Amino acid sequence: MSRKTALWLLWAGFIAYVLLLAPPITPDTLRLIKNILTGQWTEVNPIILCIFSLVGIWILIYSCLLFIDGRMQRIRFWPFALGSAGTGVISLIPYLALREPNQEFSGQKDALLKVFDSRWTGIILNFSTLFLLAFGWLAGDWGEFIQQFQSDRFVNGMSLAFCLFCLLFPTVLGDDMARRGFNIPQVFWAVALVPLLGPLAYLCIRPPLPESSADVSCQASNLTA
């Protein structure tokens, strides 16, 4: 089975599960979503708040790789990034399925790419994640979370989406490492096999993306001519 076929099957299977097999949507589901979105966080189990926030962290982690990747693809990543802000992994998987393997980068980094390529971005995401994990672990009610996972479609689907973010990261990791001349198999497997914290550490240790001066040289020669 090809990578693309597997990704499309995973995407369709996850949507089918959420619509047909996941726990039902109840008034409590809608109340929970409203409390999260309106900032009434004292009414929400800290574990659920933590997972909700970590899904956002995952989108930023992927953005640190895929905005750069999208520069060299026929399709850009930004529409899928915007979709991921509302639907999470449901909008991310189609980009992973449509993109072609690519281990090169040419041209200059614009302001957005410089932010996503910066180690400071990785450091900030690391500290934010550690705070969220400590908050969820120490302040959360695990018994209530298990009960909500079993009975609430939003909590169930969001938790499984978090797991899919972890599972899918290796599909883009190898290309990003190759673009940076950072082809170390031990690092790849250490990052791929440690959920969340491995990718976060990778953002801090990866070399900066080399820029190409070809475009600048070409422009200069045209002006001289």
Side-chain angles (χ1 to χ4, degrees):
M1 183 184 299
S2 71
R3 176 185 63 88
K4 291 180 179 290
T5 301
L7 286 168
W8 283 121
L9 288 175
L10 180 64
W11 179 72
F14 180 68
I15 292 176
Y17 169 81
V18 170
L19 294 177
L20 303 175
L21 299 176
I25 296 175
T26 67
D28 287 339
T29 303
L30 301 178
R31 190 178 305 113
L32 173 62
I33 296 173
K34 176 185 175 183
N35 287 339
I36 292 176
L37 297 180
T38 59
Q40 301 179 50
W41 297 335
T42 57
E43 305 297 322
V44 182
N45 187 338
I47 298 174
I48 295 174
L49 274 180
C50 174
I51 296 175
F52 180 83
S53 300
L54 289 177
V55 167
I57 294 287
W58 262 122
I59 293 171
L60 291 173
I61 292 172
Y62 275 90
S63 295
C64 288
L65 279 65
L66 295 182
F67 272 102
I68 293 168
D69 179 78
R71 171 76 75 84
M72 310 307 296
Q73 300 286 340
R74 291 184 296 104
I75 55 172
R76 294 293 186 261
F77 175 61
W78 67 264
F80 300 89
L82 291 177
S84 296
T87 64
V89 76
I90 291 176
S91 292
L92 174 69
I93 294 176
Y95 178 80
L96 300 181
L98 291 169
R99 67 177 291 273
E100 297 295 333
N102 177 70
Q103 300 182 348
E104 298 179 355
F105 179 84
S106 62
Q108 302 292 305
K109 292 180 284 189
D110 58 25
L112 180 65
L113 294 189
K114 287 179 180 178
V115 170
F116 284 131
D117 193 47
S118 172
R119 284 180 178 169
W120 282 107
T121 300
I123 291 170
I124 292 170
L125 291 177
N126 268 274
F127 278 109
S128 300
T129 299
L130 292 175
F131 170 80
L132 289 168
L133 291 174
F135 172 66
W137 182 265
L138 297 175
D141 185 333
W142 287 95
E144 181 185 40
F145 169 72
I146 293 173
Q147 187 275 326
Q148 288 178 294
F149 177 83
Q150 295 172 338
S151 62
D152 187 287
R153 178 174 298 182
F154 175 71
V155 176
N156 185 278
M158 180 176 64
S159 302
L160 294 179
F162 175 86
C163 296
L164 286 179
F165 278 115
C166 299
L167 177 68
L168 293 170
F169 189 75
T171 65
V172 295
L173 174 60
D175 281 357
D176 191 75
M177 294 180 71
R179 277 191 288 267
R180 300 166 191 276
F182 194 41
N183 294 308
I184 304 176
Q186 295 89 336
V187 172
F188 176 89
W189 288 111
V191 171
L193 296 177
V194 179
L196 185 59
L197 297 181
L200 285 168
Y202 172 71
L203 296 182
C204 295
I205 66 172
R206 64 180 183 171
L209 185 72
E211 296 180 282
S212 168
S213 59
D215 295 344
V216 176
S217 300
C218 181
Q219 292 175 5
S221 62
N222 290 337
L223 290 174
T224 303

